[in-house]
Amino acid sequence: MEFKNIMDKKLIGKIFLLGTSFSVLSYFVTSETYANVMPFSGSTRVTQTAHADGYGLRAIDLGLGAGTPVLAPANVTVIATCNAGNNHRAIKLKADDGTFYSLIHVYSTNIQKGQRFQQGERIGTVASDKPWNKCAKSTGIHLHFGSSSPVVDNVNIRSVRLNTVIQSSN
Ligand SMILES: [Zn+2]
């Protein structure tokens, strides 16, 4: 009986260790799948280096053509959206990890505050017009992308150089 108790304790110890290693493993898997990514698929060039935007974020401009799908950079909630006219939007997102993102010059007919997007889900497309008002000023077709995180998809958006080709993981 005494012997059996010792065996039970050893077994419990092993089960505990196994449980711990699974927790550690799932932590890494979760971190990896949760990493933020660029808001498009494929690659594009930086057409303007770090600049401030109306949502208080540092941002870069991406040389994406009109109609290119704009994808969620993380699992996010829309916390602000402004229509500059003709469904040309400025959008602010908050990710589940607390990171803020801005996407400006996005064409979307139906986006709303409080709406949820999972990473990679299509938010809209790059707008084809060039409005000039307080929430969207544009002299050429592009996507403006800002973040409270200095690094997105392994790119430091505060120091990346003009014309750098960015490869998205999205
Ligand atoms: Zn911009």
Side-chain angles (χ1 to χ4, degrees), residues 48 51 59-61 142 144:
Q48 194 182 340
H51 53 289
I60 54 174
D61 289 345
H142 69 279
H144 168 108

Side-chain angles (χ1 to χ4, degrees), residues 11-27:
L11 189 63
I12 288 164
K14 277 181 183 169
I15 290 166
F16 178 75
L17 276 175
L18 196 63
T20 307
S21 57
F22 273 126
S23 305
V24 170
L25 186 67
S26 61
Y27 169 76

